[in-house]
Amino acid sequence: MWYFCDVFGRIWQSPFILFYLLAFWIAPAFLHPQCLDFTPPFQPQQELQFCQMYKYLGCCDYARDQELMAKYYRIMDNFDYYGYSNCAAYVQDLLCQECSPYAAHLFDAEDPSTPLRTIPGLCPDYCSQFHSKCRSFLTLLSDDPRLSELEHDQHRLCQYLELDDPDYCYPHLLSNERLTKNLGRTTADSEGCLQLCLEEVANGLRNPLAMVHANDGTHRFFIAEQVGLVWVYLPNRSKLEKPFLNITKAVLTSPWEGDERGFLGLTFHPNFKYNGKLYVYYTVEVGIDERIRISEFRISSTDMNVVDHGSERIILEIDEPASNHNGGQLLFADDGYLYIFTGDGGMAGDPFGKFGNAQNKSALLGKVLRIDVADNERGPLYRIPPDNPFVHEPNARPEVFAYGVRNMWRCSVDRGDPNTKEGKGRIFCGDVGQNKYEEVDIVEKGRNYGWRAKEGFSCYDKKLCANSSLDDVLPIYAYPHKMGKSVTGGYVYRGCENPNLNGMYIFGDFMSGRLMSLKENRNTRNWEYSEICMGVGLTCSFPGLINNYYPYIISFAEDEAGELYFMSTEIPSATSPTGVVYKIVDPSRRAPPGKCHSEPLSVHVRSNLIPFEPKETLIGVHVPTKHPRLSNPEEPPDIGSKDWLQELLDIFREQDEQITPTPFTPTTPKPLRTSRQRKGRRRKGKHKNGAVRLVGDEEGRGDRGRVEVYANGEWGTVCDDLWNTKNAIVVCRQLGFHHALKAAKHAEFGEGTNLKIILDDVQCEGTEETLLDCQHAGIGTHNCAHYEDAGVICGNSVKGLVC
């Protein structure tokens, strides 16, 4: 791969330059907030009570904040009023650095040559003050044996706790303007180029020019290749071996680089979940004529991942006078109608007729068409929406919704702001220019978009341009060919995972490989431009992220959750398997843990699965794999036996107790607890009604297994009829975990055939203490079998399984 942005945001396309930069330029280590799990910081959904300094941006959610508060109280219970008044603030400070946006730096997690710290890196002056007042607290904060050895030697202790990089030591990093100035905001380089990262999603594709979802709750995505193949990908990114659709024999295309013919568009009916309909746009050869064809297909009645190829009904065919400018976008807008975006017929300058196809409303080329395909089983295959703008105009085709289009390549419907719904329903398109300008338009009913009179904001046909009846609408943005020569329209970001990108229209250019963005100024209503570059230095050094991509940007996509992707290739040929799908990621800030969780509906798979294997890598930065400091420093880490991150979190949580805390007030000393306030141990052999346990994991891991519940004196299993994440949360929290990573179904952890089925039809809100407190069919009442035994996978980190 050879396309990337340098430190100044400029575009380089040379392997030699790439080698030169990597050999002689050292990536800066600043502007890189990062949590202990190597993910970006976030704003907690529920305001923190204990570590309030990080309530707007940090690395702890409310649950972890409560645990740290409980640990604080446990530590402070060991000291009198004098110890509390002198050291409470120090203890709080040190505990809360796990929540700092720079936690990975403070705990030295990024340097693989040093062990992970259990105490954050301290600045020398702060360490000296802490040592003189509160050194006896150290052994309660950490079980690192070196701390007890150095407790009475201030110089050696502070040297041990000091960070190699003084920029990140606590508390000086809080006053470091370079680190805090744009914290939590999408960063830009000195030329204003936004620094984003990518995640590879699929590869080995032949000119992938469309990726869509079915909006059916399964979170599958369907990727179309120009040759006429469509593939199904599951939420875990595995690919089904059998194609979803194969019309390669009918599709007209060629191996020539830049051939615009082929399979060009795909969209699912808004009611696909119920009627199984989808629509495709492709070029065909009929005799000596070339045509664009819009067809309707239905899903197979026996396989939800395969189209019934015999169900094709041709909705519309349009003759193409040339082989280029074929359009290719299909979409359903919020009104439920099917929109078809055609090109002007090809050649150059729209030479067809007196004014060209685009300005001729009696032609279907160079248009945005709108038709009604609802209830078309009998009668006409489509109807004309009664409010189409030209239905009563003589000689105009009633299908026409908008005109004056050259070759709109990739359009999308704005989902609207997640909270206010502002912008909902707007249709954005990139319209490819002739020889000077590329443009981005918002498509509206009955409007004229200017071609061939205008190209961008500029006159192309001066005679037509001077016509007072033109009444054209100007683009929201146009750029000259020195920036790129073939716009690829994108999407307004409305996803959950990257809050800073909300409302940003992200698009690209096929020829130059630029990624670009527009953001509407709410005061002026003008669209403001920012270029997008790949993050440099440590910006993208998070697990799974990369900072480079192939240069020919073919298309953009949105998944069912609203996250944004684009497709590009190394060789722009319909037969070159160099196409890759990338997910766009903002490394500066992520959503709070759990906020973006989705529960995809199950997919019944009949085909073999091909697991996803990423091939691209981060350029110029080494992402470390690091093991935590163990309680026994002489013992080497056992990489295979336990996840290192979980081991680190276990160290932090060691001896934490489940305490119901009161709101923290740092200025008021907390009275010492009496022994009666401490929880007693449960006597062996006695189980409380509603107790749960996990069994059946082949590797004996304690965080996953079949759920067994204790009720009325016996253990039994739970059926999975209504088993979901909320139910799993109740089980995991009851067992002391903080998150449910998966609600396992269909006896994934084996059948508990030696036990009764205790619960069925369980419906929890996620806040109950036990499953018995949730709605259910009744203890011992069920209409299921053990092959439906439910299970869970729990964890203390939100980075879990994606299934």
Side-chain angles (χ1 to χ4, degrees):
M1 187 169 297
W2 50 275
Y3 175 83
F4 64 100
C5 293
D6 72 359
V7 291
F8 303 109
R10 292 192 292 257
I11 298 171
W12 295 96
Q13 296 184 342
S14 166
F16 175 77
I17 293 174
L18 173 60
F19 172 79
Y20 183 89
L21 281 176
L22 296 185
F24 296 99
W25 176 72
I26 299 175
F30 52 87
L31 292 175
H32 188 56
Q34 194 173 53
C35 300
L36 285 170
D37 58 358
F38 295 128
T39 57
F42 56 89
Q43 181 175 358
Q45 284 183 280
Q46 188 172 351
E47 189 171 302
L48 305 185
Q49 289 184 327
F50 181 60
C51 300
Q52 292 187 355
M53 65 288 279
Y54 301 124
K55 66 181 180 181
Y56 295 115
L57 186 76
C59 294
C60 290
D61 58 10
Y62 179 79
R64 184 57 186 156
D65 180 66
Q66 296 296 292
E67 293 170 2
L68 292 172
M69 185 193 297
K71 184 171 185 177
Y72 167 86
Y73 285 146
R74 179 183 59 78
I75 291 172
M76 299 311 299
D77 272 351
N78 294 275
F79 294 87
D80 56 15
Y81 182 90
Y82 174 83
Y84 188 99
S85 59
N86 278 277
C87 300
Y90 284 107
V91 174
Q92 183 192 17
D93 284 348
L94 296 182
L95 287 174
C96 285
Q97 294 323 300
E98 183 186 332
C99 304
S100 167
Y102 288 102
H105 300 277
L106 283 168
F107 289 93
D108 211 13
E110 291 188 314
D111 185 353
S113 66
T114 61
L116 276 165
R117 297 169 177 265
T118 56
I119 299 289
L122 304 181
C123 299
D125 52 348
Y126 180 90
C127 180
S128 298
Q129 295 171 19
F130 175 78
H131 182 271
S132 64
K133 296 179 181 180
C134 306
R135 61 178 177 269
S136 56
F137 279 76
L138 275 173
T139 54
L140 296 173
L141 286 165
S142 168
D143 62 355
D144 181 357
R146 285 285 289 161
L147 295 178
S148 57
E149 294 174 14
L150 302 174
E151 181 180 340
H152 300 289
D153 189 329
Q154 177 183 317
H155 176 73
R156 292 178 64 202
L157 176 69
C158 291
Q159 195 174 41
Y160 180 68
L161 294 177
E162 188 178 357
L163 279 176
D164 290 337
D165 187 348
D167 283 340
Y168 287 107
C169 69
Y170 180 81
H172 290 179
L173 88 167
L174 299 178
S175 57
N176 188 327
E177 186 178 355
R178 187 178 62 179
L179 296 176
T180 59
K181 183 177 180 181
N182 292 307
L183 190 60
R185 300 176 183 175
T186 303
T187 56
D189 65 13
S190 59
E191 296 188 354
C193 198
L194 300 179
Q195 305 283 295
L196 298 182
C197 306
L198 304 174
E199 185 178 347
E200 185 184 359
V201 172
N203 53 40
L205 293 157
R206 292 174 292 181
N207 263 22
L209 42 67
M211 170 177 155
V212 297
H213 63 84
N215 198 33
D216 61 355
T218 63
H219 290 255
R220 292 174 293 173
F221 49 96
F222 302 80
I223 300 178
E225 295 179 320
Q226 189 175 349
V227 292
L229 285 167
V230 181
W231 303 98
V232 180
Y233 287 77
L234 300 182
N236 65 2
R237 299 179 182 172
S238 58
K239 172 184 172 181
L240 271 62
E241 188 177 59
K242 186 177 182 181
F244 177 71
L245 177 65
N246 183 351
I247 54 172
T248 52
K249 292 182 179 179
V251 169
L252 173 64
T253 190
S254 76
W256 305 334
E257 290 189 19
D259 192 341
E260 298 178 24
R261 301 169 301 173
F263 188 103
L264 301 177
L266 165 70
T267 191
F268 287 83
H269 194 283
N271 294 321
F272 170 78
K273 187 175 180 179
Y274 306 102
N275 64 24
K277 291 182 179 181
L278 59 141
Y279 298 85
V280 300
Y281 186 131
Y282 62 101
T283 58
V284 294
E285 191 170 37
V286 180
I288 61 171
D289 297 326
E290 292 184 10
R291 298 178 183 175
I292 55 175
R293 175 180 290 173
I294 315 300
S295 285
E296 176 188 273
F297 285 89
R298 285 182 179 270
I299 201 72
S300 167
S301 59
T302 59
D303 190 342
M304 67 185 296
N305 295 304
V306 174
V307 164
D308 178 357
H309 289 70
S311 68
E312 181 177 13
R313 297 198 299 170
I314 299 172
I315 301 293
L316 183 66
E317 279 191 353
I318 306 171
D319 284 334
E320 275 283 351
S323 296
N324 59 337
H325 299 187
N326 300 298
Q329 182 70 52
L330 289 176
L331 59 81
F332 283 93
D334 286 2
D335 55 18
Y337 295 130
L338 178 62
Y339 287 70
I340 304 166
F341 299 78
T342 64
D344 65 6
M347 298 190 186
D350 193 3
F352 308 102
K354 185 176 181 180
F355 305 113
N357 281 325
Q359 291 296 320
N360 180 4
K361 286 179 278 190
S362 66
L364 294 179
L365 294 172
K367 304 296 186 300
V368 179
L369 311 178
R370 183 173 73 156
I371 61 175
D372 183 359
V373 293
D375 303 319
N376 64 351
E377 286 77 13
R378 298 176 183 175
L381 292 174
Y382 70 87
R383 296 177 174 84
I384 304 299
D387 64 337
N388 265 15
F390 306 112
V391 290
H392 302 299
E393 184 173 317
N395 300 321
R397 288 294 297 255
E399 296 93 340
V400 175
F401 181 78
Y403 65 107
V405 169
R406 185 175 182 274
N407 192 38
M408 284 184 167
W409 182 247
R410 292 309 174 236
C411 305
S412 62
V413 179
D414 185 358
R415 295 186 179 205
D417 183 273
N419 299 314
T420 67
K421 298 305 177 185
E422 181 182 359
K424 189 177 189 306
R426 296 180 298 183
I427 300 174
F428 288 77
C429 287
D431 196 5
V432 179
Q434 180 65 47
N435 53 23
K436 287 186 177 180
Y437 297 99
E438 306 296 307
E439 68 181 66
V440 176
D441 299 297
I442 296 180
V443 175
E444 297 174 338
K445 182 170 72 172
R447 302 306 299 267
N448 178 5
Y449 288 87
W451 176 250
R452 75 184 184 196
K454 289 184 179 178
E455 180 186 9
F457 296 105
S458 171
C459 286
Y460 178 80
D461 183 321
K462 293 182 180 179
K463 186 176 180 180
L464 278 178
C465 191
N467 191 325
S468 59
S469 64
L470 186 64
D471 190 28
D472 63 316
V473 59
L474 295 175
I476 63 169
Y477 181 72
Y479 62 91
H481 276 191
K482 66 180 181 180
M483 291 175 60
K485 297 182 178 180
S486 182
V487 66
T488 300
Y491 284 79
V492 178
Y493 180 83
R494 299 298 189 185
C496 172
E497 295 177 9
N498 303 289
N500 286 341
L501 303 185
N502 181 40
M504 189 180 292
Y505 178 71
I506 296 177
F507 64 109
D509 189 279
F510 175 78
M511 293 300 294
S512 69
R514 286 181 188 268
L515 284 171
M516 299 172 275
S517 73
L518 300 172
K519 188 75 179 281
E520 187 176 21
N521 184 310
R522 292 188 175 183
N523 297 320
T524 65
R525 292 299 171 185
N526 293 326
W527 290 82
E528 298 172 350
Y529 172 84
S530 294
E531 190 164 345
I532 294 173
C533 292
M534 293 295 94
V536 296
L538 296 174
T539 305
C540 297
S541 61
F542 297 100
L545 297 191
I546 56 176
N547 59 356
N548 52 97
Y549 57 90
Y550 286 127
Y552 295 100
I553 300 174
I554 306 173
S555 190
F556 284 78
E558 191 180 51
D559 68 16
E560 199 162 345
E563 299 307 321
L564 191 56
Y565 304 75
F566 71 91
M567 288 143 275
S568 69
T569 187
E570 183 181 19
I571 302 171
S573 162
T575 56
S576 173
T578 56
V580 180
V581 180
Y582 304 94
K583 183 178 182 179
I584 295 174
V585 178
D586 175 14
S588 63
R589 178 183 166 205
R590 60 179 165 130
K595 181 179 180 180
C596 305
H597 175 76
S598 59
E599 192 78 33
L601 297 177
S602 61
V603 178
H604 300 289
V605 176
R606 295 176 177 270
S607 169
N608 292 329
L609 291 178
I610 303 172
F612 171 60
E613 295 183 7
K615 296 180 180 179
E616 312 306 329
T617 57
L618 187 69
I619 288 179
V621 180
H622 172 67
V623 180
T625 300
K626 185 165 184 174
H627 303 286
R629 187 196 305 273
L630 302 175
S631 56
N632 180 2
E634 303 301 323
E635 181 182 335
D638 183 356
I639 298 174
S641 63
K642 192 173 188 181
D643 178 71
W644 73 265
L645 177 58
Q646 188 59 57
E647 185 172 349
L648 172 64
L649 295 175
D650 289 346
I651 290 172
F652 285 134
R653 292 186 171 92
E654 187 177 339
Q655 299 177 352
D656 285 3
E657 296 177 351
Q658 295 296 322
I659 300 173
T660 304
T662 55
F664 176 67
T665 308
T667 57
T668 306
K670 174 183 172 292
L672 295 177
R673 271 193 202 136
T674 65
S675 59
R676 292 183 182 179
Q677 291 173 291
R678 295 178 180 145
K679 296 181 180 179
R681 295 181 180 177
R682 182 180 296 167
R683 286 179 290 173
K684 187 176 180 180
K686 298 291 184 180
H687 299 292
K688 185 180 179 181
N689 229 29
V692 290
R693 65 187 183 190
L694 302 182
V695 298
D697 179 54
E698 293 180 355
E699 298 180 25
R701 292 168 289 189
D703 61 352
R704 63 196 68 194
R706 181 176 65 251
V707 174
E708 294 183 357
V709 60
Y710 190 82
N712 297 342
E714 61 180 335
W715 289 97
T717 64
V718 183
C719 266
D720 68 11
D721 283 357
L722 299 174
W723 193 249
N724 58 31
T725 300
K726 288 184 178 180
N727 301 346
I729 286 171
V730 173
V731 173
C732 291
R733 287 182 177 168
Q734 190 177 349
L735 293 170
F737 295 96
H738 306 292
H739 304 285
L741 303 181
K742 183 179 181 183
K745 299 182 179 182
H746 309 305
E748 181 175 329
F749 294 102
E751 299 180 13
T753 52
N754 59 327
L755 299 175
K756 292 182 179 180
I757 296 174
I758 294 286
L759 293 178
D760 189 11
D761 295 335
V762 179
Q763 298 183 68
C764 300
E765 294 296 324
T767 57
E768 296 87 350
E769 290 189 9
T770 74
L771 292 178
L772 299 186
D773 300 321
C774 305
Q775 293 185 32
H776 53 79
I779 296 174
T781 301
H782 66 88
N783 60 352
C784 55
H786 280 297
Y787 65 82
E788 298 175 285
D789 281 347
V792 295
I793 299 178
C794 305
N796 290 321
S797 169
V798 295
K799 281 186 73 68
L801 298 177
V802 179
C803 298

